DNA sequence: GCTCAGCCTGGGATCGATCCCACACCCGGG
DNA sequence: CCCGGGTGTGGGATCGATCCCAGGCTGAGC
């Protein structure tokens, strides 16, 4: 068997070599087969500049016959403009990020852009690495759920348009698409307070990024609104993955004075609390009320369903990409933050606290 | 404000222009700033060929100072070898595909490859489009969950290594990583038969691809093994998304002679059946037993948990990528199909049929 | 002193597509 | 008859990085 690509045809040689050429077809082969110059072939295929209709059709026919696919690499190098965008999320296995990526992917395709996707697993080092790869590839723009403040700045220094989604680090310097975390958190906390709960725990991952900070602020604000004192020991940092969070939640729920309600700051934490409650045989909502930020499909599968703040991940992704394209169009417009609305989905996981818990 | 990139520096001019250059730094600027030729700078940065240690360090220092990031586009064009792989899945919002992508992404990063991801939504046209984009980008290889037989052939014709995952269309001509669908399906069906079920429905999406065909075959084989006659009307094509499948499942479960057990051929269908059973107030497992192919997280959150065939999507992705790299290394080795094992996870969703249902 | 090998550097071609520019041709109007 | 505008084509430079090759230099061996 001949090793593929071993023997490259001499340039200038006739290009007719059977139905399946030994080597990748370039515009040169197309031009030769059609009996025109590379320039003419290029014009015929791209549609830029004058070409006789007859010639254009012939060239296109020949190109199709040879299975010619223009080399995007070469085109981008010459045009100095790439047709791909970079997308950087924290965890593809999390349905929220997966939905985000799905939305972006769909819209990118509609605009004839390809998507480079990286998953940083929440690590700033990996994030930086991925950003460098995007710079190296000269992507047209990047959509990122940032885990460090440096990333947007780094990309901006390299003149790559950036849109931050979900979280926002470079407010004012960089476009962003986020939801009103504070407002939504305030509303669900108020809901629990209105039901009569006083010992409401907040299970959260971090409290410095916009998501964590604002959800915490909303939770606090709801207490202030209701004139209820807040027990700071009920704000629990529970880590990033289900397993560690489950252990933390377990501890929280087995305290001498356990909370009567839990507000989980995202879907992973909600899953952890759900599992912990199950381990401890704490009936929801009779013994424990639960609300979640981020509505994912399992929350409507379990009984009772989990009351949650729904943010449409797909819509978030779509908004991010349209923001990105606007930015690409007008690089010097002032930075803009788009605020998407959330919806509170009432299900069965909340009820007044048990008498003993008051 | 000056429009970015408007005024390009004359080549040959001194490169020292403040901390943040107006334009993207190329190897030419680095070379000039370090007082060497482009060739030497290239050798210094890549480490190929002779460079004096002193010079090398100086060039690297300068490059770092200028924030030089080599243009991957140009490098690939010259080297005729790309550092990205293409990944094409059917639906990123489905946790199975998301997990697959996550596994691939992680391993790709370890090998310093970037990942182009496309989501074809199950459409052969979109799949073909994406494949063409991958060819245009001259990716080093492609991992695909195929929806048509043409795709692998098309990519192969363009000399791009391909690995089919989950489903397999081009058996023998193309590497693949799959699970033993028939065996697993046979086992879970046998489990239901052993419990005493006779009216066991198979809710499935399609029956021509390897996944559908083999799961169906396994289901059939289990009946044959048990010497039980199979009611063909219990094999139901329920479509691709939760909503249409839920409607089909609803119809199935409200038949005059409903099944006492359902084998759902994937996680989407299992969700649909679960929801339909809930709508009809059919207690699981008392009135209806349920098993699923594909174990996703909600199946251990609901009560009772869903008995399922677990296939590790992340591991599948990792196997696919290592297979792909072997293929890139030795393009002419014979095609290989890797069979990953599955695990049957017993939970509470199966029980003997109700007396009336026998 | 000369040669030769090994070290080190720079010039220029190259990858594939694009695009500017020069030029050729045709036709109508002055 | 000549000129100019519109149409159509090809040559060659270009994008940025790489890499082959020629050639300069040094030092050791004869």
């Amino acid at each position: 068997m001949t090793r593929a690509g071993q023997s490259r045809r001499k340039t200038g040689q006739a290009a007719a070599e059977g139905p399946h050429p030994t080597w990748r077809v370039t515009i040169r082969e197309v031009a030769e087969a059609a009996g025109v110059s590379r320039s003419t072939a290029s014009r015929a295929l791209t549609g830029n500049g004058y070409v006789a209709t007859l010639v254009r059709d012939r060239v296109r026919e020949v190109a199709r016959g040879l299975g010619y696919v223009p080399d995007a690499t070469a085109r981008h190098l010459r045009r100095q403009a790439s047709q791909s965008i970079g997308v950087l999320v924290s965890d593809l296995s999390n349905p929220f990020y997966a939905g985000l990526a799905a939305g972006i992917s769909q819209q990118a395709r509609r605009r004839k852009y390809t998507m480079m996707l990286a998953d940083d697993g929440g690590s700033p080092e990996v994030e930086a690495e991925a950003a460098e790869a995007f710079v190296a590839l000269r992507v047209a723009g990047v959509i990122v759920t940032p885990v460090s403040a440096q990333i947007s700045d780094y990309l901006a220094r390299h003149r790559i348009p950036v849109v931050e989604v979900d979280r926002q680090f470079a407010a004012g310097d960089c476009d962003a698409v986020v939801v009103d975390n504070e407002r939504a958190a305030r509303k669900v906390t108020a809901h629990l307070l209105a039901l009569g709960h006083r010992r409401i725990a907040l299970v959260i991952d971090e409290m410095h990024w916009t998501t964590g900070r604002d959800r915490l602020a909303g939770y606090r604000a709801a207490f202030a609104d209701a004139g209820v004192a807040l027990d700071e020991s009920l704000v629990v940092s529970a880590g990033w993955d289900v397993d560690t969070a489950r252990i933390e939640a377990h501890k929280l729920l087995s305290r001498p004075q356990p909370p009567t309600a839990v507000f989980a700051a995202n879907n992973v934490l909600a899953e952890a609390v759900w599992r912990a409650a199950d381990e401890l045989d704490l009936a929801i909502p009779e013994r424990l009320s639960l609300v979640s930020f981020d509505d994912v499909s399992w929350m409507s599968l379990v009984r009772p369903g989990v009351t949650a703040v729904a943010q449409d991940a797909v819509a978030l992704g779509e908004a991010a990409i349209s923001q990105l394209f606007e930015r690409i169009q007008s690089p010097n417009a002032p930075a803009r933050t788009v605020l998407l609305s959330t919806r509170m989905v009432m299900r069965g996981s909340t009820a007044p606290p048990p008498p003993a818990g008051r």
Side-chain angles (χ1 to χ4, degrees), chain A residues 213-247:
Chain A
R213 178 166 33 88
D214 295 353
R215 287 170 201 183
L216 174 59
Y219 166 80
R220 282 226 158 86
F223 274 85
D225 291 347
V228 175
L230 170 57
D231 178 353
E232 292 290 339
S233 77
L234 290 177
V235 175
V236 176
S237 259
W240 304 92
D241 59 297
V242 174
D243 267 343
T244 57
R246 186 176 46 77
I247 294 168

Side-chain angles (χ1 to χ4, degrees), chain A residues 183-232:
Chain A
R183 191 188 153 88
R186 190 166 176 167
K187 214 165 136 192
V188 286
T189 311
H191 167 64
L192 291 170
L193 284 162
L195 284 170
H197 290 276
R198 290 300 173 264
R199 302 189 55 75
I200 303 171
L202 173 65
V203 175
I204 199 165
D205 43 9
E206 55 72 45
M207 288 169 282
H208 303 293
W209 304 345
T210 47
T211 37
R213 178 166 33 88
D214 295 353
R215 287 170 201 183
L216 174 59
Y219 166 80
R220 282 226 158 86
F223 274 85
D225 291 347
V228 175
L230 170 57
D231 178 353
E232 292 290 339

Side-chain angles (χ1 to χ4, degrees), chain A residues 120-173:
Chain A
D120 58 40
S123 144
E125 290 80 29
V126 178
E127 180 184 54
E129 244 178 68
E132 186 168 335
F134 288 158
V135 171
L137 287 158
R138 308 296 193 248
V139 295
V142 170
I143 295 176
V144 58
T145 59
V147 296
S148 84
Q150 289 90 297
I151 176 119
S152 303
D153 185 50
Y154 174 79
L155 290 167
R157 273 209 313 279
H158 283 275
R159 318 237 165 267
I160 295 183
V162 191
V163 174
E164 296 184 332
V165 198
D166 183 41
R167 297 185 284 269
Q168 188 176 22
F169 272 97
D173 295 335

Side-chain angles (χ1 to χ4, degrees), chain A residues 326-343:
Chain A
E326 282 182 38
R327 168 65 45 200
I328 291 170
Q329 297 269 307
S330 41
N332 295 310
R336 186 168 56 151
T337 297
V338 175
L339 210 63
L340 259 54
S341 64
T342 57
R343 216 161 26 87

